[in-house]
DNA sequence: CGGTACATTGAGAAATTTCAAAGTTGGTGG
DNA sequence: CCACCAACTTTGAAATTTCTCAATGTACCG
């Protein structure tokens, strides 16, 4: 698994983070997701919440475990990975974050981040002041419910992840990951034929799956050889969907 | 891992579940935890929430994945395990539930249970009508916050679990589990010297750890031989705390 | 006594990691 | 245009970890 990243993978220094700040709140108004996502509903026409937009380049951190943040982070564009950093330097990815995802619904209460987030591609994200968001929720129980639904979904995903890691062999986990990404792409309209964007590196897959790059590499090699799945240059291609379903046995 | 349990392990039939119903709400008033737990706060003096008390014997289910429940379940006495049931019959435990634990904070919204809960020892539990609880939350944002804190804690535990399963070898996971149980026992005052109650069977440990009984058995054997940890008749004993800490590398 | 749940052991098989070393690719500065 | 570098991918072989299969042993209960 990926050891604590080299300098390039982490934000190199506090003074000059690879970030270009900016302050807009109309950005959300132009968002391709409109109000289909929680962040959209939250920002809806009359919220008056001011979102600060930022950008980080691939392989840099959006959030670091332990950071104290007074904002809720929402990914607007690009892919990122949330992960836990283990004491011995290993890391385990928790989930894929892409456009429209709130980095952590929980961060509404806890200023201290309990996990890190690293950009896979270049990432654009918004920071919503926690105070404002909280106030908004306080006045609108429906929003609380929507938020809770989000939390519930994430909890369920976490449980699936636990079951995957605890009870499945690597091939099944990979198949499962691929299918999940395909489904997601489909929902967002990014699925073109049997092809969809998949910018994760083998290292990222290994981190999600709880395995090593080397093993992932061999498994992907097999999938390619067997004409089941191909991955190259950030584009995934499912050649044998039924086979994948069978492998993931879901 | 445990295959879909034999009949005895599951509730044998709908007509005569091994449950003796009863309806009391003063029970919570007499609870040893008072208002230190969320359920206590929730039921606090003036809530007027009516809790139905039930009991199930060891190895029976408290909740089954897919059940539709209009109540929130809280464990009052005994130990239980929440777990995911995989399609191929295997199961993966998610967490230990003991006195004072709400089975799932998420169940406040979702009637459909997304995981199962099985009693490890005999278990007494309360069922709080969701409608009432929800109403209570709606009138008291502080309760929402308390609830959210609970959710956040569980999310964090889930993340730890994911990291454990994905990135640690079985010995480290066992050590980690033991220490967690010890800490928990300590907090509740159940730690006597180096000894504390630990009713989990090797099978349960395997299900939590994502391993097999046989493997667990050998590892526990080693721990015993090396005078690090002993487990017998539901009582655990930590002989070499530092060693365990080192193994869990936390 | 018979049965069920649980713990324990041995031996071989399978999955996965580790170590070591090349091969590729895309971008950058000269 | 070329050399070079960093990030990635690929391969081989040996070492570890963990699982599976197959028995056997043990304690408690009705």
């Amino acid at each position: 698994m990926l050891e604590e990243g080299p300098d390039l993978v982490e934000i190199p220094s506090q003074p000059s983070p690879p970030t270009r700040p900016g302050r807009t709140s109309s950005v959300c108004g132009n968002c391709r997701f409109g109000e289909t996502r929680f962040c959209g509903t939250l920002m809806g026409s009359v919220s008056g919440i001011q979102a600060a937009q930022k950008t980080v380049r691939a392989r840099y951190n959006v959030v670091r475990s332990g950071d104290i943040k007074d904002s809720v982070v929402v990914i607007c564009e690009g892919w990122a990975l949330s992960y836990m950093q283990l004491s011995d330097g290993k890391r385990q990815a928790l989930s894929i974050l892409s456009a429209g995802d709130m980095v952590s619904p929980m961060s509404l209460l806890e200023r201290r981040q309990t996990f890190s987030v690293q950009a896979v591609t270049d990432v654009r994200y918004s920071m919503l002041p926690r105070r404002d968001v909280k106030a908004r929720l306080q006045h609108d129980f429906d929003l609380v419910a929507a938020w809770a639904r989000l939390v519930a979904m994430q909890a369920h995903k976490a449980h699936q992840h636990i079951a995957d890691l605890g009870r499945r062999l690597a091939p099944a986990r990979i198949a499962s990951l691929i299918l999940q990404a395909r489904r997601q792409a489909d929902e967002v309209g990014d699925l073109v034929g049997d092809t969809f964007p998949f910018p994760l590196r083998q290292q990222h897959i290994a981190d999600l799956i709880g395995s090593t790059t080397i093993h992932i590499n061999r498994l992907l090699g097999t999938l390619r050889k067997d004409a089941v799945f191909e991955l190259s240059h950030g584009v995934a291609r499912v050649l044998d969907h039924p086979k994948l379903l069978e492998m993931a046995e879901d």
Side-chain angles (χ1 to χ4, degrees), chain A residues 160-186:
Chain A
Q160 292 283 153
H161 202 168
I162 289 174
D164 260 24
L165 294 176
R167 292 299 181 205
R168 286 190 158 128
L169 301 181
R173 296 186 215 164
I174 289 202
S176 184
L177 171 61
I178 294 170
L179 290 173
Q180 179 197 316
R182 204 197 90 112
R183 209 175 313 133
Q184 168 77 17
D186 196 7

Side-chain angles (χ1 to χ4, degrees), chain A residues 17 29 46 54 68 77 86 90 104 120 122 142 150 166 181 188 196:
Chain A
V46 290
K54 302 206 177 188
I68 306 288
E77 197 181 339
L86 305 209
K90 298 172 184 170
S104 166
V120 171
D122 288 355
D142 287 346
L150 214 62
V188 186
F196 57 95

Side-chain angles (χ1 to χ4, degrees), chain A residues 130-224:
Chain A
R130 187 208 322 288
R131 179 189 308 274
D132 299 351
V133 177
K134 216 167 153 185
R136 191 91 218 275
L137 289 193
Q138 213 153 143
H139 294 335
D140 186 346
F141 194 78
D142 287 346
L143 266 185
V144 174
W147 173 73
R149 245 186 310 279
L150 214 62
V151 171
M153 275 186 52
Q154 294 214 353
H156 190 240
K157 276 194 183 172
H159 294 164
Q160 292 283 153
H161 202 168
I162 289 174
D164 260 24
L165 294 176
R167 292 299 181 205
R168 286 190 158 128
L169 301 181
R173 296 186 215 164
I174 289 202
S176 184
L177 171 61
I178 294 170
L179 290 173
Q180 179 197 316
R182 204 197 90 112
R183 209 175 313 133
Q184 168 77 17
D186 196 7
E187 280 168 16
V188 186
D190 279 348
L191 180 63
V192 179
D194 51 6
T195 268
F196 57 95
F198 192 87
L200 299 188
R201 302 299 180 171
Q202 298 186 350
Q203 181 65 254
H204 297 129
I205 299 179
D207 283 349
L208 278 164
I209 269 13
S211 181
T212 60
T213 322
I214 299 183
H215 196 213
I216 297 299
N217 181 282
R218 295 196 225 273
L219 294 174
L220 287 181
T222 308
L223 288 178
R224 170 170 296 144

Side-chain angles (χ1 to χ4, degrees), chain A residues 28-91:
Chain A
C28 295
N30 304 329
C31 177
R32 66 187 274 216
F33 296 109
E35 298 202 5
T36 57
R37 302 311 186 84
F38 181 72
C39 56
T41 328
L42 193 64
M43 301 297 290
S45 39
V46 290
S47 79
I49 297 178
Q50 287 284 323
Q53 287 267 318
K54 302 206 177 188
T55 305
V56 293
R57 275 176 301 161
R59 282 182 277 103
Y60 286 80
N61 277 62
V62 177
V63 173
R64 285 157 166 289
S65 173
D67 277 1
I68 306 288
K69 286 215 171 300
D70 276 309
S71 315
V72 177
V73 176
V74 176
I75 306 295
C76 301
E77 197 181 339
W79 288 40
L81 233 47
S82 62
Y83 61 88
M84 299 288 282
Q85 189 71 52
L86 305 209
S87 42
D88 56 357
K90 298 172 184 170
R91 61 175 55 178

